Each structure stands twice: as structure tokens, then as C-alpha cells.
Amino acid sequence: MSYIVNSGSGNEFSNVKRIAIGSGKVFYVYKDDAPYVSVEVNLLNSEHFTDSLIVGDYLLIGNYYEGVYVIDLLDLSFDHIAVDGYFGYFVEDGECIYILGCENIIAMDRECSIFWKSDCIAVDGITCEGIEGKTMQVSCEMDPPGGWVDKKIDLCTGKVIA
């Protein structure tokens, strides 16, 4: 069984299950190449900081100030992960998924169980510059605009190590 998600046109989704968490931005999920479910979230002021990711049998939707929605594609239930400040984007690394936000990072496994949530390490955004071994090199906006500071995060604990 494989899933694909897109946020384009979905006219073929008129006869499938629809999950409405908000209104304005729709994600369409195909299961084994057939329309399966549509998920609608709020369309916020910007298309930036909105992303989706299929992880096993879960659809993750990160949506700016709303955080991350976790939709179980087996039973079509959903949950919510709060993100401090705003959602930035997802980073995948093997068995881990990282949610990078405005102020911190959240690590979870492929079953969407949270391992850790970092302390506040930024004031207006975090970007991943790379992962090497058990560390993530990030750039953290500390003094907007343009006050980016590099930090290393221990991927086992979420603590800043340099």
C-alpha cells in the first residue's frame, strides 16, 4: 500500500472521505494511485510555512500558526501537535521526523510519537543546514532581520551542544 499527497486540483475527489479541519487549503491523498481522502485546513495569509509529508500510514500537515496535524490514514482520525510560534518545515532523517518551527525543534518517530522538544533556541525561525551522525547543524534567527546564529543540536536529546 502506498500513499501520495498533493495540494493541486482534486476534481476526482468528490466521492471520497473529506476531513475538514479548516477551510481554504486542500490536500489530496491517493492510496495505491486511487483517490482516497481530502483534508482541508485553513488557508492562511501566506503559502509559506505550509507543508505536507506522508510518513508510513500518517499524513502530516504543517500549517504556519496552527502547528502540525497528524492524520491516521488507516482510520482517518486526526490529532494536533502544537508548535511554539509558527510551523516552519519538516526534515526527515531515517527513522526520525523533525518539525522545525519559529522557536524550537520537535523530534518524533515514524509512528508520530514525540521523542523530545528542544528548548527555545531561536526567536524567528530555524533552518536545517545538515545532519551528520547524531547532530543537526541549524541556523537560528536570534535578532530579526538577519541575526542568524549557527548551532548544533544533539539528536538524541534535543539539547544545543555548540
Short mmCIF file of all heavy atoms in Angstrom, two decimals, residues 123-146:
data_model
loop_
_atom_site.label_atom_id
_atom_site.label_comp_id
_atom_site.label_asym_id
_atom_site.label_seq_id
_atom_site.Cartn_x
_atom_site.Cartn_y
_atom_site.Cartn_z
N VAL A 123 14.27 32.98 17.90
CA VAL A 123 13.13 33.87 18.13
C VAL A 123 12.26 34.04 16.89
O VAL A 123 11.12 34.44 16.99
CB VAL A 123 13.56 35.26 18.67
CG1 VAL A 123 14.22 35.14 20.02
CG2 VAL A 123 14.44 35.99 17.69
N ASP A 124 12.82 33.71 15.70
CA ASP A 124 12.03 33.89 14.48
C ASP A 124 12.47 32.95 13.36
O ASP A 124 12.68 33.36 12.23
CB ASP A 124 12.09 35.33 13.99
CG ASP A 124 11.06 35.62 12.90
OD1 ASP A 124 10.08 34.86 12.79
OD2 ASP A 124 11.26 36.58 12.15
N GLY A 125 12.62 31.67 13.67
CA GLY A 125 12.86 30.69 12.63
C GLY A 125 14.13 29.89 12.80
O GLY A 125 15.12 30.37 13.35
N ILE A 126 14.07 28.65 12.32
CA ILE A 126 15.19 27.72 12.37
C ILE A 126 15.28 27.05 11.01
O ILE A 126 14.27 26.59 10.47
CB ILE A 126 14.98 26.64 13.45
CG1 ILE A 126 14.78 27.29 14.83
CG2 ILE A 126 16.14 25.65 13.46
CD1 ILE A 126 14.24 26.33 15.87
N THR A 127 16.49 26.97 10.47
CA THR A 127 16.70 26.22 9.23
C THR A 127 17.71 25.13 9.50
O THR A 127 18.65 25.31 10.27
CB THR A 127 17.21 27.12 8.09
OG1 THR A 127 18.45 27.70 8.45
CG2 THR A 127 16.20 28.22 7.76
N CYS A 128 17.51 23.98 8.86
CA CYS A 128 18.45 22.86 8.97
C CYS A 128 19.50 23.02 7.89
O CYS A 128 19.18 23.09 6.71
CB CYS A 128 17.71 21.54 8.82
SG CYS A 128 18.80 20.10 8.83
N GLU A 129 20.74 23.06 8.31
CA GLU A 129 21.86 23.17 7.37
C GLU A 129 22.44 21.81 7.05
O GLU A 129 23.24 21.69 6.12
CB GLU A 129 22.93 24.11 7.95
CG GLU A 129 22.41 25.49 8.30
CD GLU A 129 21.80 26.23 7.13
OE1 GLU A 129 22.35 26.15 6.01
OE2 GLU A 129 20.75 26.88 7.32
N GLY A 130 22.08 20.79 7.82
CA GLY A 130 22.56 19.44 7.55
C GLY A 130 22.54 18.57 8.79
O GLY A 130 22.50 19.06 9.92
N ILE A 131 22.59 17.25 8.54
CA ILE A 131 22.64 16.28 9.62
C ILE A 131 23.86 15.41 9.39
O ILE A 131 24.09 14.92 8.28
CB ILE A 131 21.36 15.41 9.66
CG1 ILE A 131 20.16 16.29 10.00
CG2 ILE A 131 21.51 14.26 10.65
CD1 ILE A 131 18.83 15.58 9.97
N GLU A 132 24.63 15.25 10.45
CA GLU A 132 25.83 14.42 10.38
C GLU A 132 25.89 13.58 11.65
O GLU A 132 26.01 14.12 12.75
CB GLU A 132 27.07 15.30 10.27
CG GLU A 132 28.30 14.55 9.84
CD GLU A 132 29.45 15.49 9.52
OE1 GLU A 132 29.26 16.42 8.71
OE2 GLU A 132 30.52 15.29 10.12
N GLY A 133 25.76 12.27 11.46
CA GLY A 133 25.76 11.39 12.63
C GLY A 133 24.57 11.69 13.53
O GLY A 133 23.43 11.69 13.08
N LYS A 134 24.85 12.00 14.77
CA LYS A 134 23.80 12.29 15.76
C LYS A 134 23.67 13.77 16.06
O LYS A 134 23.20 14.16 17.13
CB LYS A 134 24.08 11.52 17.06
CG LYS A 134 24.02 10.02 16.89
CD LYS A 134 22.61 9.57 16.65
CE LYS A 134 22.54 8.05 16.52
NZ LYS A 134 21.24 7.61 16.05
N THR A 135 24.08 14.64 15.10
CA THR A 135 23.93 16.09 15.30
C THR A 135 23.28 16.73 14.08
O THR A 135 23.43 16.27 12.95
CB THR A 135 25.28 16.79 15.57
OG1 THR A 135 26.13 16.62 14.44
CG2 THR A 135 25.95 16.24 16.81
N MET A 136 22.53 17.78 14.35
CA MET A 136 21.92 18.59 13.30
C MET A 136 22.53 19.99 13.38
O MET A 136 22.51 20.60 14.46
CB MET A 136 20.40 18.67 13.48
CG MET A 136 19.69 19.53 12.43
SD MET A 136 17.91 19.78 12.75
CE MET A 136 17.25 18.14 12.50
N GLN A 137 23.05 20.45 12.28
CA GLN A 137 23.55 21.83 12.19
C GLN A 137 22.35 22.69 11.79
O GLN A 137 21.70 22.42 10.78
CB GLN A 137 24.66 21.93 11.13
CG GLN A 137 25.21 23.33 10.97
CD GLN A 137 26.05 23.78 12.16
OE1 GLN A 137 26.77 23.01 12.75
NE2 GLN A 137 25.92 25.04 12.51
N VAL A 138 22.06 23.70 12.60
CA VAL A 138 20.92 24.59 12.32
C VAL A 138 21.39 26.03 12.33
O VAL A 138 22.44 26.37 12.89
CB VAL A 138 19.78 24.41 13.35
CG1 VAL A 138 19.18 23.02 13.25
CG2 VAL A 138 20.23 24.71 14.75
N SER A 139 20.61 26.86 11.68
CA SER A 139 20.80 28.30 11.74
C SER A 139 19.55 28.86 12.40
O SER A 139 18.42 28.52 12.01
CB SER A 139 21.01 28.88 10.35
OG SER A 139 21.40 30.22 10.43
N CYS A 140 19.73 29.70 13.42
CA CYS A 140 18.62 30.20 14.23
C CYS A 140 18.57 31.72 14.14
O CYS A 140 19.57 32.40 14.39
CB CYS A 140 18.83 29.79 15.70
SG CYS A 140 19.00 28.02 15.93
N GLU A 141 17.39 32.24 13.82
CA GLU A 141 17.21 33.69 13.76
C GLU A 141 17.03 34.21 15.18
O GLU A 141 16.03 33.89 15.84
CB GLU A 141 16.01 34.03 12.89
CG GLU A 141 15.65 35.51 12.85
CD GLU A 141 16.69 36.38 12.17
OE1 GLU A 141 17.73 36.64 12.81
OE2 GLU A 141 16.45 36.83 11.05
N MET A 142 18.01 34.99 15.64
CA MET A 142 18.01 35.48 17.01
C MET A 142 17.71 36.97 17.13
O MET A 142 17.29 37.44 18.19
CB MET A 142 19.35 35.19 17.69
CG MET A 142 19.68 33.70 17.76
SD MET A 142 18.46 32.73 18.64
CE MET A 142 18.70 33.31 20.30
N ASP A 143 17.94 37.73 16.05
CA ASP A 143 17.76 39.18 16.08
C ASP A 143 17.28 39.64 14.71
O ASP A 143 18.08 40.13 13.91
CB ASP A 143 19.07 39.86 16.47
CG ASP A 143 18.93 41.35 16.70
OD1 ASP A 143 17.78 41.82 16.91
OD2 ASP A 143 19.95 42.05 16.68
N PRO A 144 15.98 39.46 14.42
CA PRO A 144 15.47 39.78 13.07
C PRO A 144 15.61 41.26 12.74
O PRO A 144 15.51 42.09 13.63
CB PRO A 144 14.01 39.39 13.15
CG PRO A 144 13.85 38.60 14.40
CD PRO A 144 14.97 38.94 15.30
N PRO A 145 15.80 41.59 11.50
CA PRO A 145 16.09 40.66 10.41
C PRO A 145 17.59 40.45 10.26
O PRO A 145 18.39 41.37 10.44
CB PRO A 145 15.53 41.39 9.19
CG PRO A 145 15.73 42.84 9.50
CD PRO A 145 15.56 42.96 11.00
N GLY A 146 17.96 39.24 9.95
CA GLY A 146 19.35 38.95 9.60
C GLY A 146 20.26 38.55 10.72
O GLY A 146 21.46 38.44 10.52
#
